Structure formats: C-alpha cells, structure tokens
Amino acid sequence: MFVYMDHTATTPVSPEVLNAMIPYFSDVFGNPSSVYSFSRKSRGAIEKARKQVADALNADTSEIFFTGSGTEADNWALKGTLEKGKIAGKNHIITTSIEHHAILHTCEYLKKVEGADITYLPVNSEGMVSVDDVRNAITDKTAIVSVMFANNEVGTIQPIKEIGALCRERKIPFHTDAVQGAAHLDIDVKAMNIDMLSMSAHKMYGPKGVGALYLRKGMRPENFIHGGAQEKGRRASTENLAGIVGFGEAFEILKGRLNEDKAINSSRRDRLIAGILERIPHAKLNGATGDNRLPNNINFSFIGVEGETLLLDLDAKGISASTGSACSSESLDPSHVLLALGLKHEMAHGSLRFTIGRLTTDEHIDYLLEVLPEIVARRRAMSPLWEDYLKSIGEK
Ligand SMILES: *Cc1c(COP(=O)(O)O)cnc(C)c1O
C-alpha cells in the first residue's frame, strides 16, 4: 500500500488542473508580451488565472503578481519592503521564531547585508503568537511585520486579522506567508487587514515552481527580479504560462470544495490523533487543538526514539511522512519550530508529522494506526533513551 501523508511538503497536480495546463505548453505557446494576435490567447489565459487567484482571496486583479514560488514571494515582500523602508530611515523587521526558512533565512540575509534589526517573536506552547507581543515590539523604525498565516510543521493558525488591524492602525506594512493557510482556510485579504500575502501553487494541487504575491493597492516594495516589463513592470521574466494557468485553476477548484475538504480532513485528523494517543503510551501532540490547528496537520513527539528512524521504518511499510519540515530533513538539527514551542531536544528529535489531504482514505488512517504503535514500541525497546526516560519517571 502507498500511503502519502506529506501533503504539506507538496501535493499532486489534480487531473483537472493538468488538463487545463496542457494546451499552454505546445499549442497556445505564444509569448504573452508579443503584439500579434496569437499571443493574445496567452495574455488572456494569464489574466483569467489572475482573476481566479484574486477572487479566491477577495482581492482585485491589479493586486496579484505571479512569481516563481512561494519562497520568491516571501523574498520579494521582505527585501523589497525593507529596501523601501530604509529610504525613510526604517530598518526594523518584526517576525516570529516559527516562520518557514523562506522568511527566516531572508531575515538573516537582510541583517547581514542591509544591517536590518530583526525581532523574532516567541510563541506559546501551542505555537501561537501574541498580538500584544507584536504591539510591544513595534518601534518608529519598524519597516514591516511578517507573521505566517498557519505554520507548516505544527499547523497552528495565527491571529492574522488582529495583527493586521494593529499594523494598519500603526501604518506599518503587514505581510503574511500564507503558503499553508491559503491551501486550507478561507482567506479574505480585505476583511483580514492584510497588505501583502505569499502563496504557492504546489501546496494546493497545482504545479511546482509558481507562486504569487498579493500586494494591496499602494504597496510598492522595490522589485526583486529585474529585467523586462512583465507583471506591470514589477516582476520581470517571461511568464510561466502553463504554470500560471494551473495555479488559477487549482485555486478556484480548492475554493469550491474548501468546506467539504475541511470537514473530512479535520474528522480524519481527529481520529488519527485520538488513535495515536490511545495506542501509543507517552505520545505528545505538538501544536494547537481544534479550530486553531490546520485541518490536515498531525504532529507528535515520541520520547525515546528518533523521528528519522521512525520515518525509515514507516517508509518500509509504504508510508510517506515527515519529521518537521522537508526542508530541514537534510540536517540533523532539531526543528526550530518545536524548540520554539518549548520542547526539549530529545522530544523534538522524536517528532513525526503526518499531513493528510486528497490522497488520504479512511483505510490509510486505519493502516497507520495499525503499524505505527508496533514501530514505536520496537524502536523504544532498543533505545537507551527510552530506558532513561522510564527511570526518570519512576516506571523502571
Ligand atoms: C512550502 C512553503 C513555502 C515555500 O514555497 P515554495 O513554493 O515551495 O517555494 C513557504 N512557506 C511555507 C509556510 C511553506 O509551507
């Protein structure tokens, strides 16, 4: 059995999306910037996709700019806004300690190269940022506040509307990395007071290598990719025509089934969480409960074992899961997100993330609940860490 439980790392392109994209590779292939009528079809397709993305967010089409990825949208928002802010003497960035590396590494770069001053806000044990902490961190040098919509590792959903209202009142540009949020939640950029928002198609059953940045009217970060006059002169390079068409289609389909997906995912999520807590002793759920958690996220720590080892054992049983984020799977450092939630290193090392989605079935949940307890028990039986833990709590 192939059980894909890593929908947060990426999703398959849905058949409807693929069908919509196919004509734009070799049939309708004209350069959208050319003047002849053949190219008008390509331009039209991009403008249709722009409307699909704008409608999904309650934005205007003039506020959507396609990029090469969610990472690029994050880089553009942060670098472009800080560069703009520096002209007015502002070089302070407020962000959180649980952001994706697309934000954190960009902040490190801005500190090193631009001398930016960075505040990394803490989170509580459920992974939630406090609006008061944002308020207290603001100074007259603050150029941008960037808080992710929903966390990719533990699924915690942040109080975006409230942070947005605060930033609006203080006239500070507010950016949110909504790569995960947009894939699962209803987002209304107007009602939520959002100035800039990053998205990515491959997290929502669209193709890899295409994203977008929402820039509210009046937001003018410096350009990030320089060259031709595409995207109204604000993001150069020949458009990823088929990719953009796929993104628009994927987002429209996602919006159409959002409530249905939310209901089925959250019921499977809760069944999996309850099943693990029931069958595996000393299992700890990481992140928030209920409405403050992404409907598809399950993240556990199993004291006494290494998450990496469990991943390999699961893989041998046909199950694809993750420890923390796929981007940190190359390094053996524990997840920065789990550490920010206050987990000890040994708990952070024993973590597993399961993210469900359209490929998930009820049988997959049953199968995982059948094999995971055995795997954890077998590894714990061989683990000196587990022995030490049992002694520490007086059970041995
Ligand atoms: C996947 C992801 C990104 C990066 O998006 P890409 O399109 O893969 O570059 C950024 N932020 C979050 C929260 C993500 O989950």
Side-chain angles (χ1 to χ4, degrees), residues 170-298:
R170 304 291 289 268
K171 299 192 168 57
I172 297 167
F174 174 51
H175 168 257
T176 184
D177 173 344
V179 172
Q180 292 304 328
H184 301 281
L185 307 169
D186 209 8
I187 296 183
D188 179 327
V189 287
K190 289 196 176 76
M192 294 177 161
N193 313 303
I194 295 165
D195 294 323
M196 295 175 260
L197 177 143
S198 303
M199 301 156 263
S200 178
H202 76 99
K203 307 285 176 80
M204 48 168 90
Y205 305 90
K208 293 168 183 57
V210 56
L213 182 63
Y214 157 77
L215 290 172
R216 188 169 69 86
K217 267 185 203 72
M219 288 290 136
R220 304 282 307 191
E222 290 293 331
N223 286 358
F224 178 61
I225 303 280
H226 303 273
Q230 291 88 359
E231 296 294 280
K232 295 189 230 56
R234 299 179 66 180
R235 196 277 184 182
S237 93
T238 301
E239 298 86 344
N240 175 1
L241 178 58
I244 289 170
V245 165
F247 186 9
E249 204 68 20
F251 211 170
E252 184 176 333
I253 292 169
L254 184 99
K255 270 287 179 170
R257 48 181 290 175
L258 199 67
N259 289 332
E260 213 179 305
D261 283 347
K262 220 191 267 185
I264 188 141
N265 281 332
S266 52
S267 107
R268 286 182 178 140
R269 172 197 67 189
D270 294 344
R271 188 159 78 83
L272 187 51
I273 289 174
I276 289 175
L277 288 172
E278 190 185 294
R279 288 160 212 231
I280 305 181
H282 304 283
K284 182 189 176 295
L285 178 68
N286 298 315
T289 45
D291 286 348
N292 289 330
R293 187 179 195 104
L294 282 176
N296 78 324
N297 175 290
I298 297 103

Side-chain angles (χ1 to χ4, degrees), residues 61 97 136 198 282 354 367:
T61 50
S97 47
N136 294 333
S198 303
H282 304 283
F354 302 102
Y367 178 62

Side-chain angles (χ1 to χ4, degrees), residues 120-132:
Y120 297 96
L121 298 173
V123 292
N124 69 12
S125 60
E126 294 200 338
M128 190 78 81
V129 173
S130 128
V131 182
D132 281 336

Side-chain angles (χ1 to χ4, degrees), residues 8-10 67-74 98-103 148-153 177-181 198-203 207-211 325 327 353:
T8 290
T10 194
T67 64
S69 64
T71 299
E72 185 196 318
D74 284 343
I98 59 161
E99 298 293 314
H100 189 275
H101 285 134
I103 295 288
M148 73 195 318
F149 205 101
N151 182 263
N152 46 300
E153 293 191 36
D177 173 344
V179 172
Q180 292 304 328
S198 303
M199 301 156 263
S200 178
H202 76 99
K203 307 285 176 80
K208 293 168 183 57
V210 56
S325 81
C327 321
R353 180 188 75 181

